[in-house]
Amino acid sequence: MIKRKRIAELIESNDFGSEVTIMGWVKTKRDSKGGFSFLEINDGSTIKNIQVIAEGTMANYTDEILKLTTGCSVIVKGILAESPGKGQRIEVQATEVNVAGWTDPDTYPLQKKRHSFEYLRTIAHLRPRTNTFGAVARIRNALSYAIHSFFQERGFLYLHSPIITGSNCEGAGDMFKVTTLDLQGLKNKGGEVDFTGDFFGKPANLTVSGQLEAEVYALALGNVYTFGPTFRAENSNTYRHLAEFWMVEPEMAFCDLKENVDLGEALIKSTLAYILTNCKDDIDFFNSFVDKNLISTIDTIINNDFERLTYTEAIEILLKAKKQFEFTPAWGSDIQSEHERYLCEYFKRPVAVTDYPKEIKPFYMKVNKDNKTVKAMDILLPGIGEIIGGSQREDVYDTLLNRIKEASLDPADYWWYLDLRKHGTAIHSGFGLGFERLMQLVTGLSNIRDVIPFPRTPKNLEF
Amino acid sequence: MIKRKRIAELIESNDFGSEVTIMGWVKTKRDSKGGFSFLEINDGSTIKNIQVIAEGTMANYTDEILKLTTGCSVIVKGILAESPGKGQRIEVQATEVNVAGWTDPDTYPLQKKRHSFEYLRTIAHLRPRTNTFGAVARIRNALSYAIHSFFQERGFLYLHSPIITGSNCEGAGDMFKVTTLDLQGLKNKGGEVDFTGDFFGKPANLTVSGQLEAEVYALALGNVYTFGPTFRAENSNTYRHLAEFWMVEPEMAFCDLKENVDLGEALIKSTLAYILTNCKDDIDFFNSFVDKNLISTIDTIINNDFERLTYTEAIEILLKAKKQFEFTPAWGSDIQSEHERYLCEYFKRPVAVTDYPKEIKPFYMKVNKDNKTVKAMDILLPGIGEIIGGSQREDVYDTLLNRIKEASLDPADYWWYLDLRKHGTAIHSGFGLGFERLMQLVTGLSNIRDVIPFPRTPKNLEF
């Protein structure tokens, strides 16, 4: 089989006169009165199509080429040439156009017109052939690699934390159950489900976070990060919630809250800069068709120091605000989305809020000396809101044990997590970054279902 | 907080006389009669420890430094110096040794002696502090990055295929069920479980493969790969089975069986070469303490062309073999592990076997013109056996539909997969590589539970 050239390479090439083979899908075809046709071919390597000129003298011109429609797959051999036409620098003068796969234009679900995002979600198996979802896929790929590269360059170890788990990081949250029990013939034992016959011999869930296991590795190997799927069985049908999503969770030994915020800021800036450089065409597309302020928003994040303030300072600012909030800000209550937006607008840049009241944060966050706040940190981005949540972790055995009890959790379930504080404990910190939130930021897409290949939400499990 | 130096950098440094700060865990301590102590410190960045000299004149020498034991965490400031002693090139002459975390030497589960792998599995939260599991973690990290880099350099897009799925790629296989139903109060409707109240409104499982979804993206964007967790609820307690493991699954449009084998060979060779170069100390460790033939086995794989032969040819060789097999080879039966071993020994190199009988392979593999075999391929490695399984995929709608029916599957469940063959179909191929099998190969570790941070097997869900 002949090696094909990727269109992403070809459109940068100056190798005019050379013979090339391209393989891809017809985006559009235009038949000239002069007895030849223009084909726009895309192979997914770039948002740009390559123009193919098919002369009417070709053997299969009438029987095949003239019948090509959007969505057909073709293998084109030809000569790379400078294009005399407008809109493209190069074109391929075809010597052969072989049809790999036809499609019936009357039933092909992707027509030339613009389709709604809702409709495209119902054909998630074809939507990556559109400009928008091809661009999403390329950016998602590049953003993943940018994250890995960021951590690898800094000596972090990538950790595969477990997906099926017996523990529950947040001490709350709706979890999916995992079982091999025959649900139809489920036997109860005195009103209780008998898990002895289940695969793991006890209740199992899908993880909501790899943090606790990342702490294990941080307290042995220094700096680690996870990047994997996490799950919430929350019955939320919103623009911002998925039942299955990807999280990035760095965890660092000998790292305090301040360094934790610094790392979060560096991670966001570095990955955004990577995307601007490496996905220029796709970002330009989103900037033109989805959000005209996309690139300027990204630039603002990259080029400004993130503002740092405590929760207490944030509440003071919110209380002084002339704005009428739906939820009145109050020390001890959560910072709502509207408050996050206000803070980012107030400072005109990303904001890191630290040291939240301990009552509204999980048990594993390090308690401050005031015994009222914990070393928590959230990073808020303009237009997006919270993108990172993290903390310095409680590293003192007795304090952690008390916090577990206060949270009405069973210390026995956390024996190994507590154990880490018994044997060579250390100050350590980490955070979680919602990968899809970052994808929404760099694409400008408002619905989180459009930045993941196959979204999982309540009652949606197709594909 | 002072920036620490990673020991991996320090041991390569020639910056003698400079002040450094290191943070890590005490591996051993030796007190000299001359009134000073040698500390061996490890921070996880390398298998190598750094030697710290703590003078008896230090303020906390008697109260703290003399009491340090294996597993304590310390923050050491000192001067980098050439070491006069044997066994290390450099050392740190401490000016401060601060204890971050103590451990009780009587209860610390990791003593200086060698522990069994079985025992270490029961303390998976501490085993990354051992030489073996620190090395496993670093190699696992490097191997993951090598895989990403391999595909990124070749223009493949990383795809996050879904974890929770309504479909079943293999058309068989034991799957984990995922549910939010209250198992205790499970309501049946006429003997059937009522899934209308379940999160997805229908039965959901954990994926056994991202292949079908990868085909969607390949047939839109060309070359893609997945690298994520997959699941088998098989009740196997063997050295080679995990309930949760990571798979790498490339899928390529306009790619035939031969190119598929070529890519598999290139992937294995490239990633192994990366590990030999980038994880030299850790590989040397495994070569010394786990498998004396480790490096030579890896070299054999890197430096030999993989042998290619058909299943039919393989059976002929097996039938002619003078060896007595437990399972008699026969055309139409599976190639057993003992046969795989024989073939690798016969050719003294890795072997790719192609074109298996269609009866023993899944529905999605492309049927050959003989209508007896399919374009399947397995890559077998010396000492490991099958590491890659893949195929060219059936790209003809009617043939695929018939194969689905023959396999007693419901075509309605595969509407979108069939649809790909209706709209711009193309020759395409892909394979799956078991990441933990590759980890076993590069570490020489015989039990798969020792190459993943937190193994999931029947009745094992701790941590």
Side-chain angles (χ1 to χ4, degrees):
Chain A
M1 184 167 256
I2 293 133
K3 274 273 169 253
R4 75 177 185 275
K5 277 276 186 193
R6 297 168 69 236
I7 292 172
E9 293 161 49
L10 275 187
I11 55 171
E12 303 294 334
S13 167
N14 287 310
D15 207 4
F16 303 122
S18 66
E19 188 173 76
V20 295
T21 302
I22 56 173
M23 306 184 185
W25 289 266
V26 175
K27 294 289 269 196
T28 61
K29 181 175 66 79
R30 193 158 50 84
D31 304 317
S32 161
K33 284 170 191 159
F36 57 95
S37 299
F38 296 99
L39 303 172
E40 294 280 330
I41 309 294
N42 189 281
D43 69 359
S45 62
T46 160
I47 198 163
K48 291 182 177 161
N49 307 323
I50 200 160
Q51 178 167 284
V52 171
I53 318 288
E55 293 289 345
T57 51
M58 295 174 79
N60 64 339
Y61 186 76
T62 311
D63 285 349
E64 296 195 327
I65 296 174
L66 271 183
K67 292 175 183 159
L68 283 171
T69 53
T70 303
C72 291
S73 49
V74 290
I75 300 175
V76 176
K77 286 186 199 175
I79 307 295
L80 197 67
E82 277 188 279
S83 177
K86 275 184 197 166
Q88 65 278 326
R89 199 178 63 86
I90 62 150
E91 61 186 27
V92 173
Q93 290 161 353
T95 51
E96 275 182 45
V97 175
N98 292 302
V99 182
W102 293 99
T103 180
D104 177 356
D106 295 333
T107 62
Y108 188 54
L110 287 172
Q111 298 303 324
K112 253 189 261 184
K113 65 166 187 154
R114 204 156 169 177
H115 297 286
S116 74
F117 286 127
E118 287 74 14
Y119 169 71
L120 289 172
R121 269 171 234 140
T122 68
I123 51 165
H125 64 308
L126 296 173
R127 70 176 185 171
R129 298 186 185 185
T130 64
N131 286 335
T132 303
F133 289 95
V136 166
R138 283 183 296 272
I139 290 178
R140 200 173 160 106
N141 168 70
L143 197 55
S144 300
Y145 194 60
I147 287 166
H148 280 300
S149 299
F150 175 87
F151 287 116
Q152 294 295 320
E153 285 161 11
R154 284 160 181 78
F156 282 63
L157 299 178
Y158 179 34
L159 173 72
H160 290 129
S161 49
I163 308 302
I164 306 177
T165 174
S167 60
N168 176 349
C169 174
E170 302 289 337
D174 302 301
M175 296 181 89
F176 286 102
K177 301 177 188 93
V178 175
T179 182
T180 54
L181 291 174
D182 178 8
L183 298 185
Q184 212 165 317
L186 202 62
K187 286 182 195 73
N188 287 9
K189 211 161 97 180
E192 296 276 311
V193 178
D194 180 9
F195 284 103
T196 53
D198 206 350
F199 190 89
F200 295 108
K202 60 179 187 176
N205 300 305
L206 290 180
T207 186
V208 295
S209 162
Q211 177 201 319
L212 303 197
E213 289 89 356
E215 288 186 51
V216 164
Y217 271 72
L219 288 172
L221 301 167
N223 294 342
V224 302
Y225 69 106
T226 73
F227 184 9
T230 46
F231 305 85
R232 295 280 158 89
E234 213 178 322
N235 199 3
S236 307
N237 268 298
T238 80
Y239 276 45
R240 291 163 56 85
H241 288 90
L242 290 169
E244 174 181 319
F245 55 99
W246 285 64
M247 261 223 296
V248 182
E249 297 183 279
E251 191 75 32
M252 298 78 73
F254 304 106
C255 172
D256 62 16
L257 183 66
K258 182 189 169 304
E259 291 173 305
N260 200 22
V261 175
D262 291 347
L263 188 83
E265 177 172 350
L267 173 63
I268 290 169
K269 287 180 169 176
S270 165
T271 50
L272 293 184
Y274 183 93
I275 295 302
L276 283 190
T277 307
N278 290 277
C279 301
K280 194 173 176 322
D281 293 337
D282 292 319
I283 293 290
D284 285 345
F285 170 82
F286 286 114
N287 195 67
S288 299
F289 296 106
V290 173
D291 176 3
K292 301 268 184 225
N293 295 318
L294 182 63
I295 293 177
S296 73
T297 302
I298 295 175
D299 280 335
T300 301
I301 297 170
I302 293 177
N303 297 319
N304 282 288
D305 289 337
F306 290 15
E307 186 68 33
R308 286 155 171 74
L309 72 166
T310 64
Y311 168 89
T312 304
E313 290 163 344
I315 293 293
E316 280 165 18
I317 289 170
L318 293 169
L319 287 172
K320 281 187 208 144
K322 299 219 173 72
K323 193 177 156 68
Q324 188 70 36
F325 293 115
E326 189 187 342
F327 296 92
T328 309
W331 203 100
S333 300
D334 244 331
I335 293 184
Q336 303 289 332
S337 301
E338 55 177 341
H339 307 147
E340 294 175 355
R341 275 196 300 277
Y342 181 84
L343 290 169
C344 287
E345 281 161 26
Y346 181 88
F347 290 107
K348 296 196 170 46
R349 58 183 62 199
V351 174
V353 181
T354 61
D355 302 288
Y356 285 70
K358 73 174 181 178
E359 277 69 24
I360 61 173
K361 288 291 180 183
F363 70 88
Y364 51 73
M365 295 190 175
K366 183 158 182 71
V367 180
N368 277 316
K369 282 183 188 150
D370 64 15
N371 202 26
K372 290 195 307 194
T373 59
V374 289
K375 292 185 187 296
M377 69 107 159
D378 285 352
I379 293 183
L380 319 175
L381 294 185
I384 292 282
E386 186 197 323
I387 187 134
I388 277 180
S391 73
Q392 189 173 323
R393 317 305 187 188
E394 185 53 71
D395 56 308
V396 177
Y397 182 88
D398 290 336
T399 314
L400 181 63
L401 181 63
N402 284 334
R403 291 276 287 159
I404 288 176
K405 287 179 186 165
E406 280 168 23
S408 306
L409 298 169
D410 184 354
D413 290 342
Y414 296 89
W415 68 270
W416 53 272
Y417 188 68
L418 282 159
D419 232 20
L420 298 175
R421 280 73 180 168
K422 252 190 209 162
H423 306 299
T425 188
I427 286 178
H428 64 290
S429 300
F431 61 78
L433 175 145
F435 182 68
E436 281 75 18
R437 295 275 168 88
L438 197 58
M439 278 296 299
Q440 286 187 270
L441 169 67
V442 295
T443 58
L445 290 168
S446 56
N447 195 320
I448 199 165
R449 298 166 197 215
D450 295 326
V451 298
I452 191 166
F454 301 96
R456 302 304 190 220
T457 56
K459 311 295 176 203
N460 283 311
L461 185 65
E462 202 59 80
F463 310 105
Chain B
M1 183 166 259
I2 291 134
K3 274 273 169 251
R4 74 178 185 274
K5 277 276 186 194
R6 296 169 69 237
I7 292 172
E9 294 161 48
L10 275 187
I11 55 172
E12 303 294 334
S13 166
N14 286 311
D15 207 3
F16 302 121
S18 66
E19 189 172 77
V20 295
T21 302
I22 57 173
M23 306 185 187
W25 289 265
V26 176
K27 293 290 268 198
T28 61
K29 180 174 67 77
R30 193 158 50 83
D31 304 317
S32 160
K33 284 171 191 160
F36 57 95
S37 298
F38 297 100
L39 302 172
E40 294 281 328
I41 309 294
N42 189 280
D43 70 359
S45 62
T46 161
I47 198 164
K48 290 181 177 161
N49 306 323
I50 200 160
Q51 179 167 285
V52 171
I53 318 288
E55 293 289 344
T57 50
M58 296 174 78
N60 64 340
Y61 186 75
T62 310
D63 284 350
E64 295 195 327
I65 297 175
L66 269 183
K67 291 176 184 161
L68 284 171
T69 54
T70 303
C72 292
S73 50
V74 289
I75 300 175
V76 176
K77 286 186 197 174
I79 307 296
L80 196 67
E82 277 189 278
S83 176
K86 274 184 196 164
Q88 67 277 328
R89 198 177 64 87
I90 61 150
E91 62 186 26
V92 173
Q93 290 162 350
T95 50
E96 275 182 43
V97 175
N98 293 303
V99 183
W102 293 99
T103 179
D104 177 356
D106 294 333
T107 62
Y108 189 52
L110 287 173
Q111 298 302 324
K112 254 190 259 183
K113 64 166 188 156
R114 205 158 169 175
H115 297 287
S116 75
F117 286 126
E118 287 75 13
Y119 170 70
L120 290 172
R121 268 172 235 138
T122 67
I123 51 167
H125 65 307
L126 295 173
R127 69 177 185 170
R129 298 185 185 186
T130 64
N131 285 335
T132 303
F133 290 94
V136 166
R138 282 183 297 272
I139 291 178
R140 201 172 160 106
N141 168 70
L143 197 55
S144 300
Y145 195 60
I147 286 166
H148 280 299
S149 300
F150 175 88
F151 287 115
Q152 294 296 321
E153 284 160 13
R154 284 159 181 79
F156 282 63
L157 299 177
Y158 178 35
L159 172 73
H160 291 129
S161 49
I163 309 300
I164 306 176
T165 174
S167 60
N168 177 348
C169 173
E170 302 289 336
D174 302 301
M175 296 181 89
F176 286 101
K177 303 177 187 92
V178 175
T179 183
T180 54
L181 291 174
D182 177 8
L183 298 184
Q184 213 165 317
L186 203 61
K187 288 183 193 71
N188 286 10
K189 210 161 99 180
E192 296 276 310
V193 178
D194 180 8
F195 284 102
T196 52
D198 206 351
F199 190 89
F200 296 109
K202 62 179 188 176
N205 300 306
L206 290 181
T207 186
V208 295
S209 163
Q211 177 201 320
L212 303 197
E213 288 90 355
E215 287 186 53
V216 163
Y217 272 72
L219 288 171
L221 301 167
N223 295 341
V224 301
Y225 68 106
T226 74
F227 184 9
T230 48
F231 305 86
R232 296 280 158 86
E234 213 178 322
N235 199 4
S236 308
N237 267 299
T238 81
Y239 275 46
R240 292 163 55 87
H241 288 88
L242 289 169
E244 174 180 318
F245 54 100
W246 284 64
M247 266 229 288
V248 181
E249 296 184 280
E251 191 74 32
M252 298 79 71
F254 304 106
C255 172
D256 63 15
L257 184 64
K258 183 190 168 303
E259 290 172 306
N260 201 20
V261 176
D262 291 347
L263 187 83
E265 177 172 350
L267 173 62
I268 290 170
K269 287 179 169 176
S270 165
T271 50
L272 293 184
Y274 183 93
I275 294 302
L276 283 190
T277 306
N278 291 278
C279 301
K280 195 174 175 318
D281 293 337
D282 292 320
I283 293 291
D284 284 346
F285 171 81
F286 287 115
N287 195 67
S288 299
F289 295 106
V290 173
D291 176 2
K292 301 266 183 227
N293 296 317
L294 181 64
I295 293 176
S296 73
T297 302
I298 295 175
D299 280 335
T300 301
I301 297 169
I302 293 176
N303 297 319
N304 282 288
D305 289 337
F306 289 14
E307 187 69 32
R308 286 155 170 74
L309 72 166
T310 65
Y311 167 90
T312 304
E313 290 164 343
I315 294 293
E316 280 165 17
I317 288 171
L318 293 169
L319 287 171
K320 280 187 207 143
K322 298 218 173 74
K323 194 177 155 69
Q324 188 69 35
F325 292 116
E326 189 187 342
F327 296 91
T328 309
W331 202 100
S333 301
D334 244 332
I335 293 183
Q336 303 289 333
S337 300
E338 56 178 339
H339 306 147
E340 294 176 354
R341 276 196 301 277
Y342 181 84
L343 290 168
C344 288
E345 280 161 27
Y346 181 88
F347 289 107
K348 297 196 169 44
R349 60 182 62 198
V351 174
V353 181
T354 61
D355 301 288
Y356 285 70
K358 73 174 180 180
E359 277 70 23
I360 60 172
K361 289 290 181 184
F363 71 89
Y364 51 71
M365 295 190 174
K366 184 159 181 69
V367 180
N368 277 317
K369 282 181 189 150
D370 63 15
N371 202 26
K372 290 196 306 195
T373 57
V374 289
K375 292 186 187 296
M377 69 105 159
D378 285 351
I379 294 183
L380 320 175
L381 294 186
I384 293 283
E386 185 196 324
I387 187 135
I388 276 179
S391 73
Q392 190 173 323
R393 317 305 188 187
E394 186 53 71
D395 55 308
V396 178
Y397 182 88
D398 290 336
T399 314
L400 181 63
L401 181 62
N402 285 333
R403 292 275 286 159
I404 287 175
K405 288 177 184 165
E406 282 168 22
S408 306
L409 299 170
D410 184 354
D413 291 339
Y414 297 88
W415 69 271
W416 54 272
Y417 188 68
L418 282 158
D419 232 21
L420 298 175
R421 280 72 181 170
K422 253 190 207 162
H423 307 299
T425 189
I427 286 178
H428 64 289
S429 301
F431 61 79
L433 174 143
F435 182 67
E436 280 76 17
R437 293 276 167 88
L438 197 57
M439 277 297 297
Q440 287 187 270
L441 170 67
V442 295
T443 57
L445 290 169
S446 56
N447 195 321
I448 198 166
R449 298 166 196 215
D450 296 326
V451 298
I452 191 166
F454 300 96
R456 301 306 191 218
T457 56
K459 311 295 176 203
N460 283 311
L461 186 64
E462 203 57 80
F463 309 106

